[in-house]
Amino acid sequence: MCRATLRNATPFPFYTGLLPPITPLTRSLPTAIGDARTRRAPPTTTSADLAAMLSARATATAASSPLWKRGEGGSSGSGSGSGCTSCREVRRRAAAVRVRAAAPRRVEAVAMESAAETEKEEVAAVGGGVEDMATEEVPVTPWAFSVASGYTLLRDPHHNKGLAFSEKERDAHYLRGLLPPAVVSQDLQVKKIMHNLRQYSVPLQRYMAMMDLQERNERLFYKLLIDNVEELLPVVYTPTVGEACQKYGSIFRQPQGLYVSLKDKGKVLDVLRNWPERNIQVIVVTDGERILGLGDLGCQGMGIPVGKLSLYTALGGVRPSACLPITIDVGTNNEQLLNDEFYIGLRQRRATGKEYHELMEEFMSAVKQIYGEKVLIQFEDFANHNAFDLLAKYSKSHLVFNDDIQGTASVVLAGLLSSLKVVGGTLAEHTYLFLGAGEAGTGIAELIALEISKQTKAPIEECRKKVWLLDSKGLIVNSRKESLQAFKKPWAHEHEPVTTLLDAVQSIKPTVLIGTSGVGKTFTKEVIEAMASFNERPVIFSLSNPTSHSECTAEEAYNWSQGRAVFASGSPFDPVEYNGKIHVPGQSNNAYIFPGFGLGVVISGAVRVHEDMLLAASETLADQATQENFEKGSIFPPFTNIRKISARIAASVAAKAYELGLATRLPQPRDLEKYAESCMYTPVYRSYR
């Protein structure tokens, strides 16, 4: 037998039957073995299997490559001159094959030992490195087996622990020498990174540092975010994520989600199969047309799904591997991006009509085909004309949820229910005026009307009359009905035309003023003073994001209302002092709702989203605010308790799903809150054997 036979190749006794996450398994890459499309786990590989694979590769190349012809010294392979070129080539190719396996036996280098012995003579013979020559001569297949150890383990974000690897783990997984001698705890790692983050003066720098950490050490990223949620939430999400999306092409390092573009039409299913995970439970998808209040950012809107799903994990406990961020790239109408050399998306005008909807139809069908009907698809930052159509079209056939329409509505309704404990009265006794009649405004209005209908048993049409909306053309009234978009028509009431917000406030005299316009500084001093003139405690919600687009600041709301406003905002504001009293503004952040809502859908196995599930989430969140919060001026509970709040919301949502017959995980757990907590992902480091 020639020397190309792998002398120390052994079976993989520690590969079969591994129980993740105790053994650090890497995610499988497409390989030359088995069906890469179905991502089946690679079978136990024996020395005979490996030798056969190398032999097959040698045979396949012999027909086309002169390197695989034997020398003229005879068939024994031991002649003079060039000798057995095939033997040398097998050894050289074996050295390029990376076979990784589990500790304690170092089978990571099954092919490496014999290759290492001949590497010097091979380098001398060919004048370069083994991998270099393989790349120059023939294409190589990036195949790998998937048990992480050594250098590979340190580059695997799902299992890397940095300096937290114990002495025993360093020996068992061949890390000795690859790390400095110090062994530190995860808590000390968190302390160090927070110290480093606080040195940055630019929020975008903090965002980039956090994204780098997520790509380097997943568990540490989530531990950091959970332990410092109030400080880091504005970093990984609003308002900083808005700037990140605007500059996404410039700061892009490596993909964090899946991109489906018009180029993929007809093969979207194949694109989805390229994602390494199969057990996906939550998808957040955007087409980038209406990113926050920043407009059309095209493919660079990916920052939103990535940020949302990091909160699904940190705040709601959904496993990171069960989350999939997706951007549908159909082009952009943003001329600045189309002319930006760093733009990462399609350089064309945004597709519309049939072309757009055919791609979305293919995408939705592919998601259901590959992940099943119990995967939650969250639509995020679609423009109004598509957001309502997509939600209406797929809500009866898919498990879909629009956070801009339904999530925002749910958290704002919770804030209103909570504010009633401060201002008094029932929901039906108040009058509501919205500045902004897009998906957020109409979504909130509809949920308010639904809750009033639920409480009073009145028809929904009657309850809508308590809610008024004002768009860019003025108050939505009956005389405008023929020219209104379909989603605005239910809010057209009998009233004379009114064009300005101040006139609408003075005419309707609302007790609650809600801004969803996306236009900053529209709640002027005159508007706030008018609200305060006929309300002892005017309720003012300035919800537009990011901070620069907020209708008014917390300081303006408190100062112009003489400290009497019950205020909440979409973006965070610092506490405000007025007449010696500190007011802590509440943040009406969707992160209060969607992580717990998603967890409730997952643990119940719900197959559809029902409006009563949204009402249940709102009522549960409203119950979490305490008298201590109210005394500080906030109508929302602190984010420090968000994991507990999310578990309670999940339990309420799941209970409603069971009640409505939409749940499939049977039998129903006896204590849903404890069950939700038991299902939540915790980012504490695991010990590796």
Side-chain angles (χ1 to χ4, degrees):
M1 181 180 294
C2 68
R3 283 205 302 152
T5 303
L6 302 176
R7 293 175 296 177
N8 292 311
T10 60
F12 290 75
F14 304 102
Y15 190 85
T16 306
L18 294 176
L19 300 175
I22 298 176
T23 299
L25 298 176
T26 63
R27 299 189 176 188
S28 299
L29 298 175
T31 71
I33 305 166
D35 184 357
R37 284 300 178 200
T38 57
R39 299 292 192 278
R40 293 173 183 167
T44 302
T45 305
T46 65
S47 57
D49 294 332
L50 190 56
M53 285 186 282
L54 293 173
S55 176
R57 296 177 72 193
T59 303
T61 311
S64 58
S65 175
L67 288 174
W68 289 90
K69 294 180 180 179
R70 292 183 180 276
E72 295 179 357
S75 61
S76 66
S78 58
S80 59
S82 61
C84 181
T85 310
S86 63
C87 297
R88 207 162 21 237
E89 182 66 8
V90 168
R91 291 195 299 272
R92 182 174 65 75
R93 291 175 181 276
V97 175
R98 301 180 64 194
V99 182
R100 297 192 294 276
R105 183 175 299 179
R106 187 149 193 185
V107 290
E108 166 180 44
V110 172
M112 293 301 183
E113 184 174 334
S114 58
E117 293 178 0
T118 60
E119 184 174 349
K120 290 183 180 179
E121 65 180 80
E122 292 294 335
V123 170
V126 300
V130 171
E131 185 68 28
D132 292 338
M133 286 303 298
T135 303
E136 290 172 9
E137 294 167 7
V138 292
V140 296
T141 302
W143 59 296
F145 290 94
S146 49
V147 177
S149 64
Y151 194 79
T152 303
L153 180 54
L154 296 178
R155 295 301 183 272
D156 175 13
H158 312 293
H159 302 104
N160 178 31
K161 300 196 291 185
L163 290 177
F165 283 106
S166 68
E167 296 286 349
K168 184 178 179 181
E169 289 171 332
R170 295 181 188 208
D171 286 330
H173 292 282
Y174 314 107
L175 299 172
R176 186 69 63 183
L178 299 180
L179 291 168
V183 178
V184 303
S185 68
Q186 189 179 25
D187 287 336
L188 185 58
Q189 288 178 320
V190 168
K191 181 179 179 180
K192 181 183 75 172
I193 293 176
M194 285 304 301
H195 171 76
N196 293 338
L197 287 174
R198 288 164 182 155
Q199 306 307 307
Y200 294 119
S201 58
V202 179
L204 187 61
Q205 293 176 325
R206 296 192 187 99
Y207 175 89
M208 293 171 65
M210 288 292 289
M211 294 303 103
D212 286 344
L213 177 61
Q214 188 176 20
E215 291 301 311
R216 186 174 71 250
N217 187 329
E218 185 176 80
R219 287 182 177 268
L220 185 57
F221 169 83
Y222 286 113
K223 174 73 171 169
L224 188 77
L225 185 52
I226 291 170
D227 289 355
N228 301 274
V229 62
E230 289 189 310
E231 184 173 351
L232 294 181
L233 188 60
V235 175
V236 299
Y237 201 58
T238 54
T240 309
V241 72
E243 182 183 1
C245 288
Q246 289 176 308
K247 301 176 180 177
Y248 209 75
S250 300
I251 67 175
F252 181 85
R253 284 183 168 85
Q254 74 180 70
Q256 295 177 288
L258 205 58
Y259 295 85
V260 177
S261 77
L262 286 173
K263 291 183 178 181
D264 305 315
K265 198 172 180 181
K267 49 187 177 181
V268 172
L269 186 62
D270 290 336
V271 173
L272 291 179
R273 282 175 171 156
N274 287 339
W275 190 252
E277 298 292 342
R278 279 295 170 270
N279 187 23
I280 298 299
Q281 295 172 328
V282 180
I283 290 173
V284 176
V285 59
T286 185
D287 70 353
E289 190 170 5
R290 193 200 64 84
I291 298 298
L292 301 176
L294 303 171
D296 187 351
L297 298 184
C299 191
Q300 296 189 168
M302 177 60 90
I304 296 296
V306 169
K308 288 278 186 179
L309 286 170
S310 68
L311 300 185
Y312 260 109
T313 296
L315 311 186
V318 179
R319 290 179 297 104
S321 60
C323 298
L324 174 54
I326 296 179
T327 290
I328 306 290
D329 186 2
V330 295
T332 179
N333 293 332
N334 188 322
E335 291 293 342
Q336 185 177 351
L337 291 179
L338 290 173
N339 296 320
D340 184 353
E341 62 179 327
F342 299 131
Y343 181 56
I344 60 175
L346 292 177
R347 293 181 183 273
Q348 66 176 59
R349 306 291 293 181
R350 181 172 287 275
T352 59
K354 182 179 178 182
E355 187 179 17
Y356 177 88
H357 288 287
E358 283 180 349
L359 181 63
M360 288 302 303
E361 177 67 32
E362 184 183 354
F363 167 73
M364 296 298 291
S365 298
V367 166
K368 196 169 185 178
Q369 181 176 339
I370 198 169
Y371 300 124
E373 67 174 348
K374 290 186 286 187
V375 60
L376 176 63
I377 304 170
Q378 178 171 312
F379 295 123
E380 194 70 37
D381 286 352
F382 285 76
N384 291 342
H385 57 278
N386 287 324
F388 288 100
D389 289 346
L390 292 172
L391 186 60
K393 181 176 181 180
Y394 293 108
S395 60
K396 292 180 174 60
S397 59
H398 292 68
L399 182 64
V400 293
F401 169 73
N402 187 303
D403 190 45
D404 303 300
I405 299 173
Q406 297 167 298
T408 301
S410 189
V411 72
V412 173
L413 176 59
L416 293 174
L417 292 172
S418 180
S419 67
L420 295 179
K421 300 173 185 177
V422 177
V423 301
T426 65
L427 208 62
E429 292 171 347
H430 288 267
T431 303
Y432 309 85
L433 175 61
F434 285 77
L435 177 62
E439 52 195 287
T442 55
I444 299 167
E446 183 67 11
L447 205 63
I448 291 172
L450 283 169
E451 181 69 12
I452 293 174
S453 177
K454 178 182 173 183
Q455 292 180 2
T456 63
K457 309 301 181 185
I460 186 72
E461 293 77 14
E462 289 297 317
C463 300
R464 289 188 182 121
K465 293 179 180 179
K466 299 291 296 182
V467 184
W468 297 82
L469 279 72
L470 186 139
D471 63 11
S472 59
K473 296 180 180 179
L475 196 64
I476 295 178
V477 295
N478 279 336
S479 60
R480 294 180 53 198
K481 202 163 188 176
E482 293 303 317
S483 62
L484 292 173
Q485 294 167 283
F487 62 88
K488 294 183 181 181
K489 288 184 178 180
W491 309 102
H493 307 319
E494 192 61 47
H495 197 282
E496 68 275 6
V498 175
T499 56
T500 70
L501 176 60
L502 180 59
D503 289 342
V505 168
Q506 292 173 335
S507 175
I508 295 171
K509 291 186 169 41
T511 55
V512 178
L513 178 62
I514 300 175
T516 60
S517 64
V519 181
K521 306 301 180 182
T522 45
F523 287 179
T524 62
K525 182 178 181 181
E526 292 76 18
V527 169
I528 301 297
E529 287 178 342
M531 285 290 295
S533 68
F534 50 79
N535 289 299
E536 178 62 29
R537 300 296 306 272
V539 178
I540 299 170
F541 284 7
S542 174
L543 302 179
S544 293
N545 289 312
T547 310
S548 59
H549 290 203
S550 185
E551 285 78 9
C552 70
T553 66
E555 185 175 15
E556 290 168 344
Y558 290 123
N559 286 340
W560 294 340
S561 66
Q562 296 84 47
R564 293 187 281 119
V566 177
F567 178 80
S569 59
S571 292
F573 284 104
D574 293 331
V576 175
E577 181 179 355
Y578 183 84
N579 282 350
K581 181 179 179 180
I582 301 295
H583 298 266
V584 180
Q587 187 185 358
S588 183
N589 194 319
N590 291 19
Y592 276 115
I593 289 289
F594 70 80
F597 184 87
L599 179 63
V601 168
V602 168
I603 65 174
S604 64
V607 293
R608 298 289 180 271
V609 170
H610 192 278
E611 58 196 20
D612 284 353
M613 295 161 68
L614 297 167
L615 295 178
S618 298
E619 292 164 2
T620 303
L621 175 58
D623 289 340
Q624 307 309 304
T626 65
Q627 186 61 37
E628 182 181 356
N629 302 137
F630 300 144
E631 290 173 357
K632 293 179 179 179
S634 178
I635 54 176
F636 289 99
F639 264 106
T640 50
N641 300 328
I642 188 60
R643 297 267 288 192
K644 186 70 175 177
I645 293 169
S646 292
R648 289 174 178 167
I649 290 173
S652 298
V653 170
K656 186 59 67 173
Y658 280 107
E659 179 185 327
L660 296 170
L662 298 174
T664 61
R665 296 190 187 278
L666 302 173
Q668 177 179 341
R670 186 170 300 176
D671 188 328
L672 281 169
E673 185 175 336
K674 286 185 179 179
Y675 179 65
E677 290 176 346
S678 71
C679 293
M680 295 176 83
Y681 166 84
T682 54
V684 177
Y685 285 150
R686 304 294 302 276
S687 295
Y688 300 147
R689 62 169 176 243

